[in-house]
Amino acid sequence: EAQVTQNPRYLITVTGKKLTVTCSQNMNHEYMSWYRQDPGLGLRQIYYSMNVEVTDKGDVPEGYKVSRKEKRNFPLILESPSPNQTSLYFCASRSGVRNQPQHFGDGTRLSIL
Amino acid sequence: AQTVTQSQPEMSVQEAETVTLSCTYDTSESDYYLFWYKQPPSRQMILVIRQEAYKQQNATENRFSVNFQKAAKSFSLKISDSQLGDAAMYFCASYSNFGNEKLTFGTGTRLTIIP
């Protein structure tokens, strides 16, 4: 089954404790992105990647890092999480073929205390 | 830069009736796509319908259809024969082929179905 898998689904942690949210897709997609969803703001792009070793900032990259060492994986790293990073996070992937939509993971709810 | 505006934070409709959710957008690109996503309480982002800007014909998917007014930069979603399972947050989004692989989302409309 074609899917985008995020882990963990839920995480409660404390300020300053490094964490990684993993994202893996099994569709051999070139493009991958991370979004955060906050009430009243919709979803906003954090980082994106157009292929292995090619990443770039989205609209709200501060406090986040990403890497794309393999095509299927695109982890989101919070080196020193802060309470303002409490949010719902989505990973998405898309084929490089024109006109293909993005496929979303099921989301990760992060709470930073 | 693209912007997407959903001016209705909440809507409600009687079961089996029709409801229309509004969306306006702004873009300087000529090659773009528009989408409606549904987010039920399970939080999944489910693609409902999409429209390519170069196509004049409005997209339809079963009970879901859009009214795409390119000159007015309007992209409304019509849900016919509303069902209880349609209750969700609905997001309008735009995407440009020459951008940064980004979907630009509106702030969402929460749809309630009244039995």
Side-chain angles (χ1 to χ4, degrees):
Chain A
E1 179 190 353
Q3 58 186 4
V4 179
T5 303
Q6 295 179 227
N7 280 297
R9 292 293 310 280
Y10 303 88
L11 180 62
I12 301 173
T13 187
V14 296
T15 299
K17 186 177 181 181
K18 181 180 178 180
L19 67 92
T20 299
V21 184
T22 63
C23 174
S24 181
Q25 50 94 3
N26 63 1
M27 296 167 279
N28 201 36
H29 285 171
E30 286 81 6
Y31 301 138
M32 298 186 76
S33 292
W34 277 103
Y35 295 85
R36 61 177 286 173
Q37 181 182 357
D38 301 290
L41 296 177
L43 282 78
R44 295 174 293 167
Q45 191 188 51
I46 303 170
Y47 268 95
Y48 66 100
S49 170
M50 292 192 157
N51 216 321
V52 175
E53 302 291 2
V54 181
T55 64
D56 208 345
K57 297 176 181 178
D59 291 331
V60 288
E62 294 76 21
Y64 304 95
K65 285 175 57 177
V66 293
S67 68
R68 188 93 182 270
K69 292 184 170 58
E70 305 165 284
K71 197 171 186 179
R72 63 184 292 125
N73 296 323
F74 190 46
L76 178 70
I77 303 157
L78 285 71
E79 293 268 2
S80 183
S82 63
N84 65 10
Q85 293 177 298
T86 292
S87 188
L88 177 60
Y89 291 84
F90 286 97
C91 180
S93 73
R94 189 179 75 84
S95 163
V97 175
R98 180 184 170 86
N99 195 26
Q100 293 303 302
Q102 295 198 14
H103 297 254
F104 283 84
D106 287 342
T108 295
R109 171 74 70 187
L110 282 184
S111 295
I112 317 294
L113 305 178
Chain B
Q2 300 182 65
T3 60
V4 176
T5 302
Q6 293 179 252
S7 58
Q8 306 154 315
E10 296 182 352
M11 294 278 287
S12 60
V13 63
Q14 205 81 30
E15 193 176 2
E17 297 295 311
T18 295
V19 64
T20 298
L21 308 184
S22 301
C23 173
T24 58
Y25 64 94
D26 195 13
T27 180
S28 57
E29 303 291 344
S30 58
D31 187 7
Y32 59 92
Y33 299 84
L34 298 166
F35 303 86
W36 279 98
Y37 280 89
K38 170 185 178 182
Q39 187 179 45
S42 65
R43 302 187 328 223
Q44 293 174 301
M45 293 293 289
I46 301 166
L47 178 63
V48 175
I49 197 165
R50 60 179 168 170
Q51 175 83 41
E52 291 123 338
Y54 64 87
K55 287 188 177 179
Q56 291 189 341
Q57 186 174 6
N58 289 326
T60 62
E61 288 286 344
N62 301 313
R63 297 182 296 107
F64 299 87
S65 62
V66 297
N67 183 4
F68 175 43
Q69 301 288 327
K70 191 171 184 177
K73 294 184 178 177
S74 170
F75 184 61
S76 61
L77 174 70
K78 185 171 84 171
I79 306 174
S80 304
D81 184 26
S82 297
Q83 300 175 0
L84 294 177
D86 295 333
M89 182 74 91
Y90 286 82
F91 291 97
C92 179
S94 68
Y95 172 86
S96 167
N97 267 321
F98 299 102
N100 53 6
E101 189 53 27
K102 179 176 72 174
L103 277 167
T104 299
F105 285 87
T107 53
T109 297
R110 183 170 301 282
L111 179 65
T112 300
I113 311 296
I114 303 167

